[in-house]
């Protein structure tokens, strides 16, 4: 029997007057996937999440969660959400906020478990109005998971968190996803998408411009980077000779560090070592998610999407 998708977006479009926020998005997410939504500001990430949750009415197209109306899945407690605009009552404590949401669902987690999952136990008795930005994000996460959802939407979940708080958050998220839950998170931290997502969906100008594993998305930027410390004098002739090696696209030399981008790193490296036996500390690396992000979101033709 064919598995019902956790999310199915078909021809989804949303306009605000003359502005188009989401422009024909087709997206299917299988149960158990962890999907990152990437894109520059204004790419349509938050609007896509709002449409998927039924919080906004599409101008065209449809959104389904678990094969039906998103609002039904939410009423059944199958969906949790941590949204940028989600406000908690400032006079309640964190524990009271979680308990209030738990009371609205049929089969919630215990308040204590939700607080533990979100690493909020130590701030459970603090009033919402007194929380720092990072603490507020953790409290929102506790509220999002207390319904014990099968599907979780997170919109910029680690905004306002410091490095240590981000690390702690993703440890708790790994525990959540290890149970086979489906997670869709929008983020502007490219390292988070690379490290924690099974799949990356990149948006630009309201359209999907890339959809694949982190490795597949990074492979859009062809070639590899060779870095080495050079023991030879850098001259115009040396630059020209290296630029003429097989596969070389760009050459840069700065403060003794040689950086070569090549479409054929093996051939380039053999040529470099044949000509310069004084190279050392050699590194050959794939392109980064940052470079793929810049290359894809700077496309002038949205029809050139990769799948």
């Amino acid at each position: 029997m064919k598995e019902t998708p956790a999310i199915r977006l078909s021809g989804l479009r949303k306009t605000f007057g003359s502005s188009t926020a989401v422009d024909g998005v087709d997206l299917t997410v299988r149960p158990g996937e962890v999907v990152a939504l990437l894109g520059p500001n204004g790419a349509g990430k938050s609007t896509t999440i709002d449409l998927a949750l039924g919080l906004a009415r599409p101008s065209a197209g449809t959104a389904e969660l678990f094969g039906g109306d998103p609002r039904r899945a939410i009423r059944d407690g199958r969906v949790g959400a941590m949204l940028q605009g989600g406000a908690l009552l400032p006079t309640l404590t964190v524990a009271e906020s979680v308990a209030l949401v738990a009371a609205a669902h049929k089969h919630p987690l215990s308040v204590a478990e939700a607080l533990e999952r979100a690493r909020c136990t130590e701030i459970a008795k603090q009033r919402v109005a007194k929380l720092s930005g990072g603490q507020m994000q953790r409290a929102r996460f506790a509220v999002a998971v207390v319904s014990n959802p099968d599907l979780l939407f997170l919109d910029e979940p680690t905004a306002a968190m410091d490095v240590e708080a981000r690390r702690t958050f993703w440890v708790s998220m790994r525990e959540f996803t290890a149970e086979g839950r489906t997670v869709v998170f929008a983020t502007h931290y490219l390292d988070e998408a690379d490290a924690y997502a099974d799949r990356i969906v990149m948006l630009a100008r309201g359209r999907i411009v890339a959809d694949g594993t982190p490795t597949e998305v990074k492979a859009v930027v062809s070639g590899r980077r060779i870095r080495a410390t050079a023991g030879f004098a850098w001259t115009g002739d040396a630059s020209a000779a290296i630029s003429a090696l097989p596969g070389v696209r760009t050459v840069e030399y700065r403060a003794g560090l040689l950086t070569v981008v090549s479409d054929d790193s093996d051939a380039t490296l053999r040529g470099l070592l044949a000509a310069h036996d004084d190279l050392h500390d050699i590194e050959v690396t794939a392109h980064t998610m940052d470079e793929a992000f810049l290359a894809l979101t700077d496309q002038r033709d949205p029809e050139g999407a990769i799948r």
Side-chain angles (χ1 to χ4, degrees):
M1 184 179 294
K2 189 174 182 180
E3 189 176 39
T4 301
I7 304 169
R8 178 182 282 128
L9 309 179
S10 303
L12 208 58
R13 182 179 172 83
K14 182 65 177 178
T15 59
F16 298 94
S18 60
S19 176
T20 301
V22 176
D23 191 9
V25 166
D26 293 302
L27 178 64
T28 299
V29 177
R30 298 181 300 275
E33 282 193 289
V34 179
V35 178
L37 294 181
L38 283 179
N41 290 336
K45 303 186 300 295
S46 294
T47 303
T48 298
I49 288 176
D50 286 347
L51 293 169
L53 287 168
L55 298 176
R57 187 184 298 275
S59 303
T62 59
E64 293 181 351
L65 301 182
F66 300 107
D69 188 327
R71 289 167 293 187
R72 185 183 70 192
I74 293 169
R75 284 196 303 269
D76 292 342
R78 302 192 69 185
V79 182
M82 179 180 168
L83 305 179
Q84 290 190 65
L88 304 179
L89 294 174
T91 57
L92 297 183
T93 66
V94 173
E96 289 169 343
S97 300
V98 174
L100 182 65
V101 174
H105 293 283
K106 298 176 182 177
H107 306 290
L109 299 175
S110 69
V111 172
E113 184 176 354
L115 291 170
E116 175 60 29
R117 282 182 179 270
R119 304 300 192 266
C120 286
T121 302
E122 76 281 5
I123 61 171
K125 295 182 180 180
Q126 284 188 230
R127 297 203 178 276
V128 168
K130 299 295 184 180
L131 298 178
S132 68
Q135 290 173 333
M136 179 67 78
Q137 289 297 87
R138 285 155 54 197
R140 287 174 173 166
F141 182 51
V143 167
V145 300
V146 73
S147 66
N148 199 19
D150 298 314
L151 169 62
L152 187 60
F153 286 93
L154 307 170
D155 195 357
E156 302 288 355
T158 57
M161 290 186 184
D162 60 26
V163 173
E164 179 60 25
R166 285 174 61 198
R167 189 196 68 80
T168 299
F169 174 85
W170 285 109
V171 167
S172 64
M173 274 300 307
R174 281 190 186 278
E175 295 170 359
F176 184 82
T177 58
E179 299 172 357
R181 322 261 186 161
T182 308
V183 175
V184 174
F185 67 96
T187 182
H188 65 274
Y189 293 117
L190 304 185
D191 59 319
E192 289 185 347
D194 197 6
Y196 300 110
D198 304 319
R199 176 180 169 195
I200 291 174
V201 175
M202 200 171 287
L203 294 167
R205 298 171 298 279
R207 295 188 179 187
I208 294 175
V209 295
D211 183 351
T213 66
T215 299
E216 289 170 339
V217 171
K218 286 184 287 188
V220 171
V221 185
S222 62
R224 289 177 177 266
R225 178 178 284 104
I226 301 169
R227 284 195 178 98
T229 301
F232 56 88
W234 187 250
T235 64
D237 289 343
S239 176
I242 293 173
S243 297
L245 291 173
V248 171
R249 288 168 51 198
T250 64
V251 177
E252 180 181 340
Y253 179 87
R254 183 175 298 177
L257 181 64
L258 175 66
T259 303
V260 179
V261 175
S262 172
D263 290 326
D264 188 347
S265 58
D266 291 342
T268 300
L269 188 56
R270 283 194 293 268
L272 275 172
L273 292 173
H276 301 284
D277 59 6
D278 50 0
L279 289 176
H280 56 93
D281 297 329
I282 300 170
E283 297 179 355
V284 181
T285 58
H287 287 291
T288 65
M289 186 62 70
D290 301 60
E291 290 163 319
F293 177 86
L294 291 172
L296 287 162
T297 57
D298 191 45
Q299 290 182 151
R300 295 296 181 262
D301 179 11
E303 298 299 337
I306 69 159
R307 298 284 180 184

